[in-house]
Amino acid sequence: MSDTHLRFRPVATEPAPVRAALILTSVAFLAVLLFAPLIVVFVEALRDGAIAAVASLANPEAASAIRLTLIVAALAVPLNAVFGISAAWFITKYDFRGKALLITMIDLPFSVSPVVAGLCLVLTFGANTALGGWLVGHGYPVVFALPSIVLASMFVTFPFVARELIPVMIEQGRAEEEAALTLGASGWRIFFTVTLPNIRWALLYGVLLCNARAMGEFGAVAVVSGKIRGQTATMPITIEMLYNEYLSVAAFSLAAVLALLALVTLTLKTLLEWRFADQLAASHHR
Amino acid sequence: MHIEIDEISKEFGSTAALHPVSLAIPSGALVALLGPSGSGKTTLLRILGGLEFPTSGRVLFDGEDATALTVQQRRAGFVFQSYALFRHMTVFENIAYGLRARPRAQRPAAAEIARRVTKLLDLIQLPDIGARYPSQLSGGQRQRVALARALAIEPRMLLLDEPFGALDARVRKELRAGLREIHDTTGLTSVFVTHDQDEAMELADLVVVMSMGRIEQIGRPADIRARPATEFVKSFLSA
């Protein structure tokens, strides 16, 4: 009996105990690192009831933090999408010296601490530097104002789009663009009718990741924003300030909103994948 | 259209892909560029199509200097090695692409585009596949769609890079006859690249044997078989 059982086990399948151990390990990690904290956030937010949670969000400080975070994401994400597309295009469609160096440079934000990045921005654009002083003199303060928060968020998130696009564009090569050229299409037309449709999924993933990270960025923004309540405090910064003041319902309610925004992003991605499953499959095969 | 290649050379960095080569292609001929990989045949084809610019030399179309013409201005119907069909467009949209890309003043009306695409689908004997995506086609069907797409722009010449390279032996034989037929109906000057001597000898009016960036011999298939001009041609044909 056990003989036939062995014979019918697929060659590439691990024995049952190994499988169970692997599954258990991953589920345990997910539970401890992901689900438990997420649940705690919502439980803490709702400890004094839903009305208290919503009321804490309606307070001007929290409302301003939510607005600021959305504005920053709305500016940083499109700018990074444009940057990411141009960088990926440049890297994959042309051959030039220093290509490897440029790819390394794009990864820099992954290895540099966000706090260091924030400090660099302060040292470049602060009011006591030549550039910063000139900008302040003309009525455009950068540090401790919206521009620096956007710049800091962009610095931290700029690898996401480019990194998603580069492997896809390398795999696809230049043949379709060349075909469009021989058919008489102009550069822009080729970009919008051939290149963009071919990279749209990778672009979407990159933008979603970029967006999630831009809304959640703490370190770099903490340094450049000055944490002015109601003015330059983004959601993560406000959450920290509320928490330090033992306003845990307010802190966790805001944290829950931030987590919800991330969940909405994920749901959106899943919905799009499900809706366009056939196109997704088609674009993976020639 | 008569094509003349006048002392064309091409260097990539410090390596010479083409030493100066010259070649005259009579109007309406079906010409094979035959040689092993690295012989410069694809580079020469891409220079004709305007996808590469030569390091030196001239290309003349009907006696007029076309060297500086952009790829769009050349109006060469180009069939790529792996066909390079637009994977996110249907077969219909693929074939219509070149017509829709025309400047507004020269662009046919939608009904006229549909009429022409239908006619081309008939020409390649696949009248019912307009709504399919390239991923749903067999290799042979893709090759014929690529051919139809190239013909849709009413090209002045047809350039094909290893048009049968990605196909299995049986389909290859079938499609050879298909290409010959389409060439004869359209009367277009056509150049195709191949490393397969049977294909070149069976299909072409004129065979150009290339090796190491040089032209070894130009002639009709029978003449090349009977009188190989160089040691290379002799050994390549006997391989």
Side-chain angles (χ1 to χ4, degrees):
Chain A
M1 199 50 206
S2 71
D3 243 334
T4 53
H5 193 79
L6 267 181
R7 204 177 302 148
F8 285 114
R9 184 163 63 83
V11 181
T13 304
E14 315 297 339
V18 178
R19 265 183 291 161
L22 283 173
I23 292 170
L24 222 71
T25 317
S26 10
V27 170
F29 266 87
L30 280 177
V32 172
L33 293 174
L34 271 175
F35 299 135
L38 201 58
I39 292 165
V40 168
V41 166
F42 286 100
V43 169
E44 286 292 318
L46 296 171
R47 198 167 50 178
D48 294 351
I51 295 169
V54 173
S56 77
L57 291 177
N59 119 356
E61 221 174 274
S64 137
I66 295 173
R67 202 179 319 123
L68 180 62
T69 290
L70 292 177
I71 291 174
V72 168
L75 289 172
V77 173
L79 286 171
N80 265 341
V82 171
F83 166 80
I85 292 171
S86 15
W89 180 282
F90 187 52
I91 283 169
T92 55
K93 309 277 173 187
Y94 299 98
D95 293 315
F96 56 91
R97 269 169 205 274
K99 195 189 248 193
L101 186 73
L102 184 62
I103 296 177
T104 315
M105 294 296 286
I106 288 176
D107 281 349
L108 199 64
F110 282 150
S111 48
V112 172
S113 159
V115 175
V116 175
L119 274 175
C120 292
L121 279 177
V122 172
L123 292 176
T124 314
F125 294 105
N128 48 357
T129 65
L131 182 58
W134 184 83
L135 283 167
V136 171
H138 286 75
Y140 297 105
V142 175
V143 172
F144 306 144
L146 181 66
S148 69
I149 302 175
V150 174
L151 281 175
S153 306
M154 280 179 65
F155 176 86
V156 174
T157 57
F158 92 53
F160 286 105
V161 174
R163 288 204 56 122
E164 284 290 325
L165 293 183
I166 288 168
V168 173
M169 288 170 84
I170 286 176
E171 192 237 306
Q172 290 180 345
R174 307 177 210 189
E176 285 183 46
E177 274 93 3
E178 284 186 346
L181 272 177
T182 65
L183 294 170
S186 64
W188 282 110
R189 189 178 180 90
I190 293 172
F191 177 74
F192 283 113
T193 58
V194 178
T195 311
L196 204 55
N198 275 340
I199 61 169
R200 63 189 158 187
W201 289 103
L203 182 63
L204 180 69
Y205 290 161
V207 163
L208 290 177
L209 283 175
C210 182
N211 182 52
R213 189 80 173 79
M215 291 195 300
E217 173 52 24
F218 181 81
V221 172
V223 177
V224 300
S225 69
K227 301 186 180 180
I228 308 168
R229 278 165 192 275
Q231 282 183 43
T232 65
T234 59
M235 284 173 79
I237 305 244
T238 308
I239 292 168
E240 197 230 8
M241 292 194 297
L242 292 169
Y243 183 74
N244 287 344
E245 289 155 15
Y246 302 105
L247 298 167
S248 65
V249 168
F252 280 106
S253 302
L254 206 52
V257 173
L258 198 54
L260 271 178
L261 285 175
L263 288 177
V264 165
T265 309
L266 266 183
T267 316
L268 210 65
K269 171 177 161 269
T270 315
L271 272 179
L272 284 168
E273 269 176 6
W274 174 70
R275 167 74 180 75
F276 294 104
D278 48 341
Q279 283 184 29
L280 207 55
S283 66
H284 281 303
H285 301 290
R286 267 173 183 278
Chain B
M1 187 183 63
H2 178 84
I3 302 171
E4 199 164 332
I5 294 161
D6 179 24
E7 294 290 305
I8 287 281
S9 76
K10 177 69 184 178
E11 284 161 22
F12 292 107
S14 58
T15 52
L18 281 177
H19 300 284
V21 296
S22 295
L23 172 66
I25 298 171
S27 192
L30 179 54
V31 176
L33 301 179
L34 173 65
S37 54
S39 58
K41 55 195 194 306
T42 295
T43 305
L44 188 56
L45 191 80
R46 289 172 63 87
I47 288 174
L48 281 179
L51 290 167
E52 309 274 2
F53 283 102
T55 309
S56 67
R58 294 186 310 160
V59 179
L60 302 152
F61 292 162
D62 279 338
E64 274 178 53
D65 192 341
T67 320
L69 288 189
T70 65
V71 50
Q72 292 100 331
Q73 290 165 339
R74 294 199 185 200
R75 282 201 12 245
F78 207 109
V79 175
F80 289 80
Q81 187 163 12
S82 49
Y83 314 131
L85 294 176
F86 306 126
R87 70 192 87 180
H88 60 285
M89 296 183 203
T90 62
V91 167
F92 183 97
E93 289 167 332
N94 263 282
I95 298 175
Y97 189 88
L99 294 173
R100 287 174 176 168
R102 284 190 185 167
R104 203 172 292 274
Q106 299 158 37
R107 196 183 307 158
E112 171 64 12
I113 290 178
R115 200 188 60 81
R116 289 201 207 174
V117 172
T118 312
K119 214 174 127 197
L120 283 162
L121 284 170
D122 287 339
L123 180 73
I124 59 169
Q125 295 170 17
L126 294 169
D128 302 320
I129 61 160
R132 288 205 223 156
Y133 283 91
S135 59
Q136 299 166 317
L137 304 179
S138 72
Q141 289 172 327
R142 281 179 215 181
Q143 192 246 33
R144 283 187 277 172
V145 171
L147 198 56
R149 183 178 70 175
L151 289 170
I153 61 168
E154 297 166 311
R156 298 200 285 171
M157 65 195 137
L158 203 51
L159 305 173
L160 309 100
D161 188 3
E162 295 276 4
F164 309 101
L167 304 170
D168 57 61
R170 195 181 54 82
V171 181
R172 210 181 273 212
K173 286 247 161 67
E174 269 173 43
L175 289 190
R176 269 186 215 171
L179 178 61
R180 180 79 231 186
E181 240 178 77
I182 283 171
H183 170 264
D184 293 346
T185 13
T186 58
L188 284 169
T189 311
S190 307
V191 182
F192 72 97
V193 158
T194 180
H195 61 271
D196 180 338
Q197 51 153 318
D198 289 338
E199 207 165 278
M201 296 296 180
E202 187 189 315
L203 204 49
D205 304 322
L206 197 65
V207 175
V208 179
V209 187
M210 295 183 70
S211 161
M212 313 277 287
R214 289 194 171 83
I215 290 179
E216 297 279 336
Q217 188 170 7
I218 306 168
R220 290 185 306 167
D223 295 342
I224 290 183
R225 277 236 166 86
R227 285 176 294 279
T230 64
E231 271 312 302
F232 172 82
V233 178
K234 197 183 272 178
S235 69
F236 186 74
L237 292 187
S238 63

